[in-house]
């Protein structure tokens, strides 16, 4: 399995529009963070997690030619508003793309982006063609997608729920400020964990450095990669502050499992 971190930035991205701070004005590519998304490549199947508003540039930067399915974590704009860019993959494969998420997420996508669910246009890919699949509501859910076994686990993200995903020994937990016990159970034995870490200070909707390190201390994966990071984090400064086995993510980072 190959995991590509397409984006590791907070909802506004880094640099942020109108900000002159040290990180936003840094020329280091590791301080440039597009909106969060991951690509999983397993047995020649490409699964995209979320459609970031930066999807087009992420796909070009990583030479992505195929998306076989999309798993959504939740409906927030920084995770969904790149849905229109899926039409490039419809065009390349000549196929409709199945997308998965909880009832709330699929419902809001259908409301906000009604046009992407219309019957598939004939051979003209001027709009995306996606097929919605609702994952049943459960604290922990096992499901099969294209012959691959996934686990979805519910996480708390302020007032809403998000889905974390696990496949084999890899797990992804973005947009979470509280992990229920069932989620910790679902994460048992994970070797690589990409996990939310917005900033140093507390947030009502995201994890901060102290809390994320607490979770990592409890789960002890071989490698933990921080994501959904804002402009408070200077990459090298943060990297020097982390314990062994924990690293900040960066755009286009590749993890082989
Ligand atoms: Zn987000
Ligand atoms: Zn800034
Ligand atoms: Zn969110």
């Amino acid at each position: 399995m190959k995991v590509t971190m397409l984006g590791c930035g907070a909802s506004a991205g880094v640099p942020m529009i109108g900000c002159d701070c040290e990180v936003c004005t840094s020329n280091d590519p590791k301080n440039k963070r597009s909106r969060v998304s991951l690509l999983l490549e397993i047995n020649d199947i490409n699964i995209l997690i979320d459609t970031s508003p930066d999807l087009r540039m992420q796909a070009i930067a990583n030479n992505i030619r195929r998306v076989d399915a999309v798993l959504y974590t939740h409906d927030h704009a920084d995770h969904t508003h790149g849905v229109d860019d899926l039409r490039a993959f419809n065009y390349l494969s000549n196929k409709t793309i199945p997308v998965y998420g909880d009832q709330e997420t699929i419902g809001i996508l259908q409301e906000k982006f009604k046009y992407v669910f219309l019957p598939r246009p004939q051979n003209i890919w001027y709009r995306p063609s996606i097929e919605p699949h609702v994952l049943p509501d459960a604290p922990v859910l096992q499901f099969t997608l294209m012959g691959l076994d996934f686990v979805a686990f519910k996480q708390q993200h302020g007032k809403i729920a998000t889905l974390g995903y696990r496949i084999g020994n890899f797990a992804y937990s973005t947009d979470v400020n509280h992990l229920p016990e069932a989620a910790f159970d679902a994460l048992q034995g994970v070797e690589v964990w990409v996990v939310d870490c917005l900033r140093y200070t507390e947030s009502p909707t995201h994890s901060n450095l102290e809390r994320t390190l607490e979770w990592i201390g409890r789960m002890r994966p071989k490698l933990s990669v921080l994501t959904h990071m804002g402009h408070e984090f200077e990459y090298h400064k943060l990297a020097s502050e982390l314990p062994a086995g924990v690293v900040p993510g960066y755009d286009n980072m590749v993890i082989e499992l």
Side-chain angles (χ1 to χ4, degrees), residues 74 76 78-79 157 160 162 175 206 228:
H74 64 306
H76 284 166
D78 53 324
H79 298 255
H157 177 35
I160 72 160
T162 57
D175 294 63
H206 288 274
H228 214 292

Side-chain angles (χ1 to χ4, degrees), residues 93-136:
S93 68
N94 202 26
K95 283 181 185 157
T96 293
I97 298 171
V99 305
Y100 296 75
D102 62 16
Q103 178 72 63
E104 178 80 2
T105 303
I106 298 295
I108 290 174
L109 283 175
Q110 285 173 319
E111 206 178 288
K112 274 194 198 166
F113 303 105
K114 205 172 166 183
Y115 75 103
V116 308
F117 298 98
L118 292 173
R120 162 179 166 163
Q122 219 174 15
N123 297 326
I124 304 166
W125 299 102
Y126 58 89
R127 60 173 162 83
S129 173
I130 71 179
E131 183 185 272
H133 296 266
V134 172
L135 295 171

Side-chain angles (χ1 to χ4, degrees), residues 158-172:
K159 288 186 176 144
I160 72 160
T162 57
L163 291 179
Y165 289 104
R166 176 176 184 168
I167 175 161
N169 290 330
F170 173 79
Y172 185 46

Side-chain angles (χ1 to χ4, degrees), residues 179-198:
L179 282 169
E181 282 307 308
F184 283 115
D185 292 344
L187 284 161
Q188 277 305 331
V190 153
E191 286 180 10
V192 179
W193 191 22
V194 176
V195 55
D196 189 335
C197 188
L198 180 68

Side-chain angles (χ1 to χ4, degrees), residues 12-28 31-33 230-234:
V14 180
M16 282 169 66
I17 295 172
C19 185
D20 297 320
C21 81
E22 186 203 338
V23 177
C24 288
T25 55
S26 163
N27 287 323
D28 191 326
N31 282 322
K32 298 198 184 299
R33 304 182 181 119
H231 67 156
E232 278 189 19
F233 288 139
E234 197 289 319

Side-chain angles (χ1 to χ4, degrees), residues 81-100:
H81 282 206
V83 68
D84 192 73
D85 289 333
L86 288 178
R87 68 194 156 108
F89 302 107
N90 292 132
Y91 177 76
L92 290 166
S93 68
N94 202 26
K95 283 181 185 157
T96 293
I97 298 171
V99 305
Y100 296 75

